[in-house]
Amino acid sequence: MNTSEIMQLSDKYVMHTYGRIGLAPVRGRGALLWDAEGREYLDFVAGIAVNSLGHCHPAVVQAVQEQVARLLHVSNLYYIENQARLAEILVQNSCADRVFFCNSGAEANEGAIKLARKWAKKQHGPQRYEIITAENSFHGRTLAAITATGQPKYQKGYEPLPEGFKYVPFNDLEALSRAIGPHTCAIMLEPVQGESGVRPATREYLSGVRELCDKHGLLLIFDEVQCGLGRTGKFLAYQHYDVEPDIFTLAKALGGGFPTGAMLAREEVANAFGPGDHAATFGGNPLACAAGLAAMWTTLNDGVLENCNRVGAYFKEKLHDLAGQYDLIKEVRGLGLMLGMELTVPGGDIVNRCRERGLLINCANNTVLRFVPPLIITPEDVDRAVEILDGVLQEQ
């Protein structure tokens, strides 16, 4: 099928829940994608931070192929070797003691919300159920996750929303302190907000949040669905801040492109869940965890984090150079290879023009060009991307 035929078929039969663009990728390798007509694109979207190892990384492909031929799925009624081995890797490289596997970031955050409420009721009584999140946050598309999300545009039309959420300005410790009340059980934050335009928390803010949680007996939940697993140059974004959460969530890069997610917690918090309290039919099945094992082993042992830091710094420097040339660039920010360029104008047209020239990027919060390429990109990939972006900016 060509691109036009794919688009027509999709438009006819698939629910119109996405604002799609006229591109139908059919093949990928590393940082490159090709459409049905064979046109090549440099992919700096990477499935929105999913393909951290690029498209079709050989280690992930081999692991999935071998697992497909051996065992696709069994229920969590049984012990699953790959699940246990992947949990071991995640625990040994984080502050967590236990892992719950699921299928997506939204589902991981749902699990975190449930665990926080369960723990708080056991520790403090039934009056503790409220979770404070940040304005402009994004925690997923399920009903509780969009309610946790501090952006009304995602909640409109789905009222009544679940009770028990409160929102405060991000990076404002005083506002957060004032919001804590007798019903508060947890604070849920992204160390680096992604969907609102790549906004990192300050070190002082996260340290202060940890102190507030300890003072009031609250749980600290970090949503690392987008910023975790090497994206910022450390395995987990909170490791930049020397602030440890009680619960954190993962997805996107966890399966190297295969859909999977996880919610992790310290032992004393995880113990609030007992058998039957929470579950996911497909969560942590042998195939998903085979992909996850290959992806995480490669991320931790194959120089991926070092490359992310080195090339990310180079990329950020190049973006700052562009900021010095064009008045419409307001700010360049971010960590590792999770970078944002805030503009004084909407970024949609720039995204479209970049795509026409073979560079895939996207725009967050209308005015922020978001760059989340594979963590294995080279300085030459950056040069090519910046050259295309520079050419487009000259036309604005």
Side-chain angles (χ1 to χ4, degrees), residues 100 102 104-122 126 128-134 137-150 155 161-167 183-189 218-225 246-250 262-265 269-270 272-273 277-278:
F100 172 83
C102 51
S104 69
E107 196 179 335
N109 285 330
E110 288 273 346
I113 292 166
K114 289 179 65 177
L115 179 59
R117 287 188 171 183
K118 191 84 174 183
W119 177 87
K121 290 181 189 304
K122 286 186 174 180
R128 292 281 198 109
Y129 59 86
E130 185 180 79
I131 296 176
I132 300 174
T133 70
S137 60
F138 183 82
H139 298 294
R141 301 280 189 165
T142 59
L143 200 54
I146 62 165
T147 309
T149 293
Q155 301 165 347
L161 300 171
E163 294 182 2
F165 293 92
K166 187 184 286 185
Y167 317 99
H183 301 304
T184 309
C185 75
I187 296 168
M188 184 173 184
L189 299 168
L218 312 177
L219 294 180
L220 178 55
I221 304 169
F222 282 160
D223 178 342
E224 295 236 5
V225 168
D246 302 296
I247 303 172
F248 63 95
T249 56
L250 304 171
M263 184 266 291
L264 299 89
V269 177
F273 271 170
D277 282 342
H278 196 50

Side-chain angles (χ1 to χ4, degrees), residues 61 66 76-77 104 112 150 184 215 240 293 297 323 327 356 381-382 388 394:
V61 170
E66 291 178 357
N76 279 298
L77 290 170
S104 69
T184 309
K215 178 182 176 181
H240 286 282
L293 275 169
W297 189 95
D327 292 338
E356 292 168 1
D381 293 327
V382 170
I388 293 172
Q394 288 180 29

Side-chain angles (χ1 to χ4, degrees), residues 371-386:
F371 307 98
V372 283
L375 307 184
I376 48 88
I377 60 167
T378 65
E380 291 73 26
D381 293 327
V382 170
D383 289 342
R384 180 180 167 191
V386 170

Side-chain angles (χ1 to χ4, degrees), residues 60 63-64 254-256 258 286-296:
V60 177
V64 169
L254 182 57
F258 194 92
L287 184 58
C289 289
L293 275 169
M296 292 303 99

